Structure formats: structure tokens, C-alpha cells
Amino acid sequence: MHTPAPALSLRDYTQSRGSHAHDHFQVLLGLDGVLEIEVEGRGSGIGTGQAQVVAPGDRHDFEARRGGSVCLVLDTPHAPWARCVEQPPSDAPRLHALARYLAHCLQQPQHAALALQHGPALLLEAWGAAPSVADTRRRRIDWPALAAWAQANWHRPLGVADLAEVACLSPSQFAQRCREEQGQSAMLWLRTLRLAHARELRLEGLSVAETARRTGYRSPSALTAALRR
């Protein structure tokens, strides 16, 4: 599957309310004004010098306060950003200075290409979310083997606890590792895997009913709806 490259942009937000979710990480760095944002029911504000990371699949509502808001926005599938969802920047002033510099570069045609090329990696480094020594000694998850196990068990309901048991981890540990290593929540990873398998079976010529039965969808119509989405 093709993984899209990180995209860096400068965005003006207004008082018009928005609401959506992404299949990638979204990093918002406040440059001017305040952007009110509510992620999965948790509200906060991104003011000048503040930053927030929205994880893949998390629905978020947003609206700028009076006067609008300007943010540097990074859309990226890069899994290490999972560490930053709950971890604040280690040096916020340094991160803000870098964000302002990149925003300036994006507005200069002669510098925009370099900002787009190197900005994502510089922002992650400036956030300071390097893996710890303990992380390097953790139990390795064999993701292909886990995916094969899941495909062999589509006939029964599967949840995070089931995946965690196979990986010999607690549900909370597995959920965190999935965000870090796969760049998405455990249930989104499972749903994506199930849907990809269903698409493969349909391409092989299987009927919708038989594909739904083999991949654990509750009905052919549920599979059809998932494929359309």
C-alpha cells in the first residue's frame, strides 16, 4: 500500500466550525490567535506557541476565536508521532521558533521546497519524543503474524484484548504500541486489515455474501457499506 508523504502547510482558521477525522497524524502549531479544538470529547485551545497532535481516527471539532487563528499544520503518517499525542514538547519555545521559521519559508518560493522536504523531520526532533532505552528492549510484535492470526479468526468478534493476548501484552500496552508502530489505533488497524482482506476476496471473484461470511461482517449489506466508505 502506498504511504502518503508528510504535508506541511500554513492555515488560517475562522469562526466557522469544522469537524472531521483523518487516517493520519495531524500536528497543529499555533502561530497567531487561538484555535478551539475538541478531540474525542476533550476540549482545549491552541494559542500562540502551543501545539497539539491529533491521532489517526480521532474525531475533532475546531473553531477559531474571534479574530481567527493561524497554525502551521503537518499531516503525516509517520508512526513516531504517536509518542507526541500525550507527551508535550520538551522545549516549547524552541518548537515555536522552528514553526515560525518554517511558516516564513513556506511563504517564500525560493525556500518553500526545502521547508517541505526537511520541516517534518525537524519538527519531530524539536518535539523531543526520542525513544527511551526501555523501548528498545520491549517485546517485539510480529505484525504480519498477528495479521495472519486475525484473518484466521474473522468468524468471531475480535477486540483489542484478543490482539493483546496473542501479542503477550496487556490491552493498554498493545494499544500504545499499535499507535507507535502502526500509526493508528488498534481497532482502526483491525478494521483496515479486515476491509483489505474483503477487497482481495472480491477481486478474486467471491460473492458479497461469501466475502462477508469469510471476513466476519454481520451481513452482506454491512460489507457493502464498508466498501463504499
Side-chain angles (χ1 to χ4, degrees):
M1 181 183 295
H2 173 66
T3 301
L8 194 63
S9 60
L10 195 58
R11 299 185 193 176
D12 292 308
Y13 292 93
T14 67
Q15 289 181 268
S16 297
R17 190 173 181 82
S19 178
H20 54 223
H22 309 290
D23 59 0
H24 54 261
F25 292 97
Q26 186 168 76
V27 186
L28 299 119
L29 303 110
L31 299 176
D32 190 29
V34 177
L35 179 66
E36 300 286 1
I37 185 167
E38 183 177 289
V39 182
E40 294 291 327
R42 302 183 302 275
S44 63
I46 303 174
T48 302
Q50 297 178 311
Q52 184 165 341
V53 180
V54 180
D58 283 358
R59 176 156 291 280
H60 47 290
D61 303 322
F62 51 93
E63 179 182 7
R65 289 184 185 173
R66 185 183 301 275
S69 169
V70 179
C71 292
L72 182 69
V73 180
L74 172 64
D75 292 297
T76 175
H78 200 33
W81 277 104
R83 299 178 181 278
C84 309
V85 175
E86 301 295 340
Q87 176 181 325
S90 59
D91 187 344
R94 177 189 174 209
L95 180 66
H96 179 57
L98 174 61
R100 283 209 169 279
Y101 172 72
L102 291 173
H104 174 74
C105 290
L106 288 175
Q107 299 176 79
Q108 310 297 320
Q110 67 271 32
H111 300 308
L114 283 175
L116 292 170
Q117 181 180 357
H118 300 292
L122 291 173
L123 288 170
L124 182 61
E125 180 183 352
W127 196 288
S132 65
V133 174
D135 289 335
T136 65
R137 298 174 180 172
R138 295 183 300 181
R139 179 188 299 276
R140 188 179 71 87
I141 298 177
D142 188 337
W143 292 102
L146 186 60
W149 177 87
Q151 289 187 13
N153 286 272
W154 290 143
H155 60 281
R156 64 186 184 91
L158 296 179
V160 176
D162 300 298
L163 298 171
E165 183 178 1
V166 175
C168 298
L169 295 168
S170 71
S172 60
Q173 287 174 325
F174 179 79
Q176 180 63 23
R177 291 284 295 279
C178 194
R179 283 192 182 278
E180 292 175 2
E181 297 178 21
Q182 297 299 312
Q184 55 191 333
S185 70
M187 289 309 297
L188 180 58
W189 178 79
L190 191 62
R191 287 197 300 271
T192 302
L193 188 69
R194 185 193 301 269
L195 190 59
H197 189 203
R199 286 198 178 104
E200 290 175 3
L201 294 178
R202 289 290 291 140
L203 288 173
E204 291 173 5
L206 264 68
S207 67
V208 174
E210 179 62 16
T211 299
R213 186 188 70 79
R214 292 195 186 186
T215 53
Y217 283 90
R218 65 180 182 275
S219 66
S221 59
L223 170 60
T224 301
L227 289 169
R228 285 175 178 169
R229 286 197 300 272

